[in-house]
Amino acid sequence: MDSKPANLISEQDLDSAEYRRQSAARLLKAWETPRGWRYWSAVNNSEVGMWYTVASFCFFLFGGVLALLMRIQLAVPGNTFLTADQYNQIFTMHGSVMMFLFAVPIFEAFSIMILPEMLGARDLPFPRLSAYGFYSFVIGGIFVCGSLFFDAAPKGGWFMYPPLTSSFQDDIGADIWLLGLTFIEIASIAAAIELIVGVLKCRPPGMRINLIPLYCWYILVVAGMILFAFPPLIAGDILLEMERAFDWPFFDPQRGGDPLLWQHLFWIFGHPEVYIVFLPSVALMAMMVPTFAKTPMVGYSWVVLSAVGTGFLSFGLWVHHMFTTGLPGISIGIFSAASQAVAIPTGVQLFCFLATLTAGNVKRSVCLHFIFAGLATFIIGGLTGVMVAVAPFDFQAHDTFFIVGHLHYVLIGGTIFPIMAGFYYFFPLVKGKQLSERIGRIVFWLVLIGFNITFFPMHITGLLGMPRRVFTYPADMGFDTLNLISSLGSMILAAGFVLFLYDVVRPRTKQPLSERNPWQAGTLEWLAQMPDQPWGVRTIPIIESRYPLWEQPNFVRDVDEGRFYLPDAVEGKRETLVTTVIDAEPIQCLRVGVPTFLTFFAALFTGGFFIFATYHWWLAAIISGLIAIGVILTWVWTGTAEIPEKETKDVGLGLSLPLYISGPNAVGWWAMFITMTADITAFVSLIFGYFFYWTIHEDFPPQPVQGPGVFWPVTGMVLLMIAYGLTWLSRHWNRAGYTSAFYLSLSLAVVFSLAGTCALLAGPWLTGLNPTTHVYPAIVWVLTGWTALHVILGVIMQLYCLARRAAGKMTNQWDADIVNVSLYWHFLALTVAMTVGVIAGFPSVS
Amino acid sequence: MRNIMEQQHHHSEEFQEKHERIWFMFIPPFVWAIHLLACYLTAAIWCAKYSGTTYNFITVRVAIGIYTLLAIAIIGSLGWIGYRRHRHLSEDLAYHDDTPLDRYRFLGLATFLLSVLSAIATLFVAAVALFFGNCN
């Protein structure tokens, strides 16, 4: 199974040290990281991933400090260290920061950093999108966290239940949470798109779907989960913010609303979220366990089954957070059963890891310590999870400290221990140097002991009846000693993290570089030299096994000598390979984005829109939003679907690939498809809201139905369907070379789109639906408004295509823009049909 | 071994990527999800709208029974197809080589395993209808 030699460049060339030096220099020049203040314009995955990781780790430390403040407050009964209001802000921010600013971003950050290396790719397909996501994350995170220093933080719990966060909070805190975190969720979805397309389309040749590293399977599952879990929360955020800002009564029972809708939308997000943060950590373990066992993973297919199965089943559990809200017993039973079922795939993964460790010849290290601690802790958390999935037990334990103990065992055992293992394992890839094993062992014991002393007593405190979320408690109720123990434990835990932080940031100038592949791992990321070069991989290799560094002879040498694909950057461009989804056959040489500040400004002004809106500074918000659209259009105009100087390029090994493709093989098409999947999920969540109200309220829709009637919505739909058809035709005519027909049909599509939008909005407008009076007009307006906003975006895209064609940046041959826009319109047509079917059709049949 | 190699070569046309559908393996858990939602929505709507009427709860039980039969039939047939692909051409169950046949058989096994998991989870949910004779 020798690696295939290059035949495009002669063997003599390759054997020439001078040639190798020159090609490597050209490659390095193309991938050079900007210097000075321009450093922050970098978009390369290694830089953005590192910033992202550091930022989310800083938020983790911030959240940890908040936790310590809470434990100080709870250490003794009747404590006055914090006021109730301060405590509420702190516990809300602790949960929000840990979930939204650490647990999810750290996985995305780490994946952005490491995934290209793991796939033997130069970079992910949309590096600028990664940078945009990072800046959005930091701006949103600082905005949300900063509120705490102005006594303006949210204080309704990280779950933000109305009416606590609607009728009973007049200050700005809940708005900061809703708008700030919605902004961050958009960044999370952007990263998810990047990661899915990266795994599916940027694998090295030969890496068939049965050979991809398990980490990639987990990334696919988790990123897919984000697409279906985050949009319902975004939909809920929109509804709650509309209630807070404009008095639209979605959660106000007096006017037909219902707070339970928030709980449904929140937990449809919130439960999968637990697995969204847990599965990536399992993925880290799936990479480390074979390395330390020095043997391939036992039961690769079973682990894939478990990842996919857990991903699906985790969506069927949301109601188990709502067992005590008075739902029918049979509904509780259905979700209790699903909650039990998820234990099966979760258990399978753990058994596969244990089997691998048993089968192999285990090498001890701090990483492995943390992995074992993670497995043991997660199993304890999982067992208490099965306990609370049993409804009668949940009725007893609900909202007590038992739940706090359970969730920290799950999240710290399932997430933080493996992440710490990951830090020790992957640190050499980032810094070229290793963390200290000696300090690591002390960190490990401090963290493990501190963690158990902190959280194990909480199970007992909870069973004794101490409610969670209280800022203090009376003496002599049996909680005193247990709380004191928990608080002391938290100090030991904190000491462990402080020592860990010291080891991470301490100066290392005198420490020698780590040896290459210090753990003798078998997967591609360990091709990295120490210190690593910015090119991702010297040359994109051909893969023939799951552990190429172990199983492919002369592999590292061939990579180092540039004997595979794209060993050079003759044109000075940043290039990587695009391959097919299943068998990873090379189909394109993709030129990826180069450094720019556009992504920073796009994030800044997008953030401005959300932040100004929080304070109801509408004019500033609109101006900021328009500038953001302008910057994003500039970014897209100058950085995407560029017509190459030649059709194909020799990429090495005698292979010539196109530099530009459009349609389902192109990464841009996939990005649009995935984005719209998330978008339609948010829309379906709003539709769910409509039918939720119908289910529980006799007077929904109110009789006689007040609006929006049938005529105007159906007229709007007909006009928009014509616009959709014209857009589709314009794509067809463009490709066929009928330029005039293209311009005519797309221009007409713009006209019909605008007319259709007006007709759609005329329905609720002309029938006088007032959204503040009752939930029915409010939800009709939301569905109509959502659709109208999407049509406006569709019009911007149509105008963009007209401009691109006029500017010669799009032709009948190079037509990715219009192909992607017509894909957007497929989803838009579906949205229009569903909106009209619901707002005009359903009142007629209900 | 040589015989297997020849077979693989012979069948390379059959296992071309264009004949493959990665989403095929996601159908069994998707059917589970549809079944869960159907059971939940049926029960929720019936309990909200009709529990006070003269309609009998047996309607919900029968509906859940029908959903379950349908779901198990689909999951079962997909599982069987997956199993056949998994055992295709060889009794050798280890396949981590870089061949289209190995990829084909891997996706078969993944489909089969996901079908088994989905079937168990579906039956778990359906079992609730056996124990509940009314909404509460």
Side-chain angles (χ1 to χ4, degrees):
Chain A
M1 216 193 285
D2 277 330
S3 302
K4 295 178 178 72
N7 58 7
L8 174 72
I9 303 157
S10 71
E11 282 293 323
Q12 278 176 333
D13 277 348
L14 281 170
D15 289 340
S16 147
E18 179 56 22
Y19 170 78
R20 287 207 300 268
R21 194 190 59 75
Q22 287 178 3
S23 62
R26 281 191 292 268
L27 200 59
L28 272 181
K29 179 74 182 160
W31 289 90
E32 192 177 34
T33 306
R35 297 205 176 92
W37 60 276
R38 287 184 178 278
Y39 173 72
W40 298 102
S41 68
V43 294
N44 196 352
N45 73 295
S46 53
E47 306 304 320
V48 174
M50 187 178 67
W51 302 340
Y52 221 142
T53 307
V54 170
S56 51
F57 190 66
C58 289
F59 285 123
F60 169 73
L61 295 174
F62 179 71
V65 170
L66 299 181
L68 279 182
L69 295 175
M70 286 155 64
R71 280 319 319 171
I72 292 170
Q73 168 65 19
L74 293 175
V76 291
N79 200 353
T80 54
F81 175 68
L82 297 173
T83 64
D85 191 68
Q86 287 170 332
Y87 186 87
N88 287 345
Q89 292 187 32
I90 286 173
F91 96 77
T92 301
M93 288 300 292
H94 169 71
S96 305
V97 165
M98 287 303 195
M99 277 293 187
F100 294 100
L101 300 179
F102 169 66
V104 175
I106 190 86
F107 133 70
E108 292 181 324
F110 188 75
S111 299
I112 286 171
M113 185 163 64
I114 214 74
L115 201 62
E117 320 274 341
M118 209 173 266
L119 294 174
R122 291 269 153 72
D123 203 338
L124 290 170
F126 313 108
R128 291 180 170 187
L129 189 66
S130 302
Y132 173 73
F134 163 73
Y135 283 119
S136 298
F137 166 69
V138 169
I139 293 168
I142 291 173
F143 172 60
V144 174
C145 291
S147 65
L148 199 57
F149 299 102
F150 298 93
D151 195 27
K155 49 194 167 192
W158 81 278
F159 35 82
M160 277 283 127
Y161 286 163
L164 196 61
T165 51
S166 52
S167 309
F168 298 103
Q169 273 192 44
D170 298 331
D171 51 19
I172 201 81
D175 302 303
I176 289 173
W177 193 97
L178 290 166
L179 288 167
L181 293 182
T182 298
F183 179 41
I184 291 167
E185 284 151 24
I186 291 170
S188 289
I189 292 174
I193 293 163
E194 171 88 320
L195 296 175
I196 293 176
V197 181
V199 170
L200 290 178
K201 301 292 293 177
C202 295
R203 304 202 304 270
M207 189 186 269
R208 296 177 201 274
I209 203 87
N210 59 322
L211 297 183
I212 67 175
L214 283 169
Y215 189 87
C216 299
W217 273 110
Y218 280 97
I219 293 302
L220 266 186
V221 170
V222 173
M225 289 172 72
I226 286 175
L227 295 183
F228 293 102
F230 278 53
L233 179 61
I234 292 175
D237 287 349
I238 291 170
L239 298 183
L240 186 49
E241 188 52 32
M242 295 297 270
E243 173 157 336
R244 288 183 54 85
F246 305 115
D247 195 28
W248 293 21
F250 296 107
F251 307 106
D252 177 8
Q254 304 293 328
R255 289 176 286 169
D258 199 308
L260 268 194
L261 175 62
W262 170 265
Q263 288 206 27
H264 279 292
L265 291 176
F266 183 85
W267 289 116
I268 290 173
F269 147 80
H271 196 86
E273 163 84 350
V274 174
Y275 290 88
I276 287 170
V277 304
F278 163 63
L279 289 177
S281 294
V282 183
L284 288 175
M285 290 198 270
M287 300 308 290
M288 289 183 268
V289 162
T291 298
F292 290 107
K294 299 179 195 161
T295 185
M297 176 64 80
V298 173
Y300 176 93
S301 306
W302 289 79
V303 178
V304 173
L305 144 88
S306 305
V308 177
T310 312
F312 270 90
L313 295 186
S314 68
F315 277 89
L317 317 185
W318 84 87
V319 168
H320 84 202
H321 293 264
M322 302 165 64
F323 279 171
T324 58
T325 56
L327 296 173
I330 187 164
S331 299
I332 291 176
I334 287 168
F335 286 93
S336 184
S339 305
Q340 313 288 341
V342 79
I344 299 170
T346 311
V348 167
Q349 332 179 45
L350 302 186
F351 280 116
C352 287
F353 295 165
L354 292 176
T356 307
L357 289 167
T358 312
N361 179 15
V362 175
K363 179 183 173 185
R364 287 168 59 112
S365 84
V366 170
C367 299
L368 207 57
H369 282 65
F370 277 109
I371 288 173
F372 278 125
L375 290 174
T377 311
F378 182 79
I379 288 168
I380 297 171
L383 290 175
T384 52
V386 174
M387 287 164 72
V388 291
V390 177
F393 182 85
D394 184 71
F395 295 156
Q396 298 299 315
H398 187 78
D399 272 349
T400 70
F401 258 81
F402 185 91
I403 303 297
V404 182
H406 153 70
L407 79 88
H408 282 92
Y409 266 78
V410 171
L411 289 175
I412 295 183
T415 303
I416 292 180
F417 282 147
I419 286 175
M420 292 189 73
F423 260 92
Y424 280 91
Y425 185 71
F426 287 109
F427 197 79
L429 279 188
V430 184
K431 285 286 176 192
K433 299 182 180 182
Q434 286 184 279
L435 290 172
S436 161
E437 285 281 310
R438 191 170 56 85
I439 298 176
R441 275 194 290 277
I442 304 170
V443 169
F444 168 75
W445 286 112
L446 283 172
V447 169
L448 182 70
I449 292 168
F451 162 76
N452 280 290
I453 295 177
T454 307
F455 295 104
F456 189 79
M458 289 185 186
H459 295 92
I460 305 167
T461 325
L463 289 175
L464 289 173
M466 178 163 164
R468 62 197 287 203
R469 303 168 191 142
V470 289
F471 86 107
T472 190
Y473 50 91
D476 301 325
M477 291 189 72
F479 309 149
D480 310 18
T481 311
L482 289 165
N483 270 296
L484 186 61
I485 292 171
S486 286
S487 294
L488 291 174
S490 69
M491 300 300 160
I492 301 173
L493 182 59
F497 282 118
V498 168
L499 191 58
F500 174 67
L501 180 65
Y502 163 75
D503 196 17
V504 171
V505 301
R506 71 189 161 92
R508 314 192 119 70
T509 43
K510 289 182 184 168
Q511 183 180 340
L513 284 173
S514 164
E515 63 174 300
R516 196 173 181 185
N517 191 4
W519 315 107
Q520 282 81 52
T523 39
L524 286 180
E525 69 273 24
W526 294 103
L527 280 171
Q529 293 158 346
M530 301 289 161
D532 197 10
Q533 303 289 347
W535 54 33
V537 63
R538 171 68 185 86
T539 175
I540 297 175
I542 296 172
I543 296 305
E544 294 163 350
S545 89
R546 285 183 193 146
Y547 299 93
L549 270 66
W550 285 346
E551 295 168 3
Q552 289 183 231
N554 300 324
F555 186 74
V556 177
R557 188 208 65 188
D558 287 347
V559 170
D560 283 352
E561 293 182 355
R563 291 175 186 273
F564 291 108
Y565 294 110
L566 286 176
D568 205 335
V570 178
E571 298 92 356
K573 305 272 188 187
R574 294 187 171 193
E575 294 164 329
T576 193
L577 286 187
V578 172
T579 50
T580 56
V581 170
I582 291 172
D583 279 343
E585 302 280 351
I587 52 172
Q588 184 195 5
C589 174
L590 176 72
R591 287 177 171 167
V592 297
V594 292
T596 175
F597 278 109
L598 282 172
T599 50
F600 168 74
F601 287 112
L604 186 69
F605 288 106
T606 315
F609 171 76
F610 284 98
I611 292 168
F612 292 136
T614 307
Y615 295 96
H616 298 185
W617 298 340
W618 301 119
L619 184 64
I622 290 168
I623 291 171
S624 188
L626 289 175
I627 296 175
I629 290 173
V631 176
I632 290 170
L633 282 174
T634 312
W635 158 12
V636 177
W637 183 275
T638 55
T640 61
E642 285 180 82
I643 297 175
E645 76 282 0
K646 56 187 173 185
E647 285 193 29
T648 59
K649 173 184 166 105
D650 286 323
V651 293
L653 302 179
L655 183 66
S656 193
L657 291 176
L659 286 163
Y660 184 113
I661 49 177
S662 64
N665 279 330
V667 289
W669 188 94
W670 277 79
M672 177 63 86
F673 186 89
I674 295 166
T675 308
M676 294 316 295
T677 306
D679 183 84
I680 210 97
T681 307
F683 175 68
V684 168
S685 303
L686 295 174
I687 299 264
F688 169 79
Y690 185 99
F691 288 101
F692 178 81
Y693 294 127
W694 167 75
T695 309
I696 57 172
H697 294 307
E698 291 296 325
D699 60 342
F700 190 95
Q703 295 298 333
V705 178
Q706 299 155 345
V710 174
F711 175 75
W712 284 112
V714 170
T715 305
M717 182 171 74
V718 170
L719 292 170
L720 288 168
M721 288 302 171
I722 292 171
Y724 165 53
L726 286 167
T727 309
W728 184 84
L729 272 178
S730 71
R731 187 200 70 168
H732 174 73
W733 280 331
N734 177 62
R735 186 166 286 183
Y738 303 139
T739 311
S740 304
F742 163 78
Y743 280 120
L744 181 66
S745 62
L746 203 54
S747 303
L748 279 175
V750 171
V751 175
F752 276 95
S753 302
L754 294 173
T757 311
C758 293
L760 208 56
L761 292 170
W765 180 263
L766 294 178
T767 50
L769 284 182
N770 180 350
T772 61
T773 54
H774 188 268
V775 78
Y776 175 71
I779 192 85
V780 169
W781 269 112
V782 159
L783 291 177
T784 315
W786 175 276
T787 309
L789 188 65
H790 280 71
V791 179
I792 300 298
L793 285 176
V795 168
I796 293 173
M797 291 183 193
Q798 289 164 337
L799 293 172
Y800 177 83
C801 286
L802 285 169
R804 291 283 279 189
R805 190 72 165 89
K809 286 178 174 290
M810 187 180 96
T811 67
N812 60 337
Q813 183 189 358
W814 317 104
D815 64 349
D817 298 308
I818 186 67
V819 169
N820 291 348
V821 168
S822 66
L823 175 64
Y824 173 87
W825 271 83
H826 290 319
F827 284 91
L828 183 53
L830 187 63
T831 305
V832 169
M834 284 163 71
T835 299
V836 174
V838 169
I839 65 171
F842 188 72
S844 311
V845 298
S846 65
Chain B
M1 180 58 91
R2 184 172 175 178
N3 191 27
I4 292 172
M5 295 291 282
E6 282 172 1
Q7 280 183 328
Q8 286 190 355
H9 181 72
H10 177 70
H11 288 274
S12 59
E13 182 66 25
E14 182 184 346
F15 303 124
Q16 273 194 358
E17 180 171 0
K18 65 182 178 186
H19 300 309
E20 193 64 89
R21 298 285 178 270
I22 190 172
W23 46 261
F24 190 76
M25 62 184 276
F26 296 109
I27 298 178
F30 185 70
V31 171
W32 163 83
I34 297 291
H35 175 265
L36 176 97
L37 273 181
C39 292
Y40 166 58
L41 293 176
T42 303
I45 292 173
W46 196 90
C47 292
K49 295 276 183 193
Y50 306 110
S51 62
T53 66
T54 52
Y55 293 106
N56 200 309
F57 190 74
I58 192 73
T59 324
V60 175
R61 287 177 143 185
V62 169
I64 291 179
I66 293 169
Y67 302 156
T68 307
L69 285 176
L70 271 174
I72 292 294
I74 298 170
I75 292 170
S77 51
L78 289 167
W80 176 243
I81 294 168
Y83 181 75
R84 293 275 304 274
R85 291 179 61 169
H86 159 53
R87 303 302 293 254
H88 193 79
L89 283 180
S90 170
E91 294 301 310
D92 176 17
L93 298 183
Y95 40 84
H96 39 72
D97 286 335
D98 191 18
T99 67
L101 177 62
D102 278 20
R103 177 258 298 153
Y104 175 83
R105 292 174 58 212
F106 162 77
L107 286 175
L109 178 60
T111 308
F112 170 66
L113 292 175
L114 281 164
S115 298
V116 173
L117 177 67
S118 305
I120 294 171
T122 302
L123 292 174
F124 259 45
V125 169
V128 174
L130 295 177
F131 297 107
F132 277 84
N134 56 51
C135 286
N136 290 302

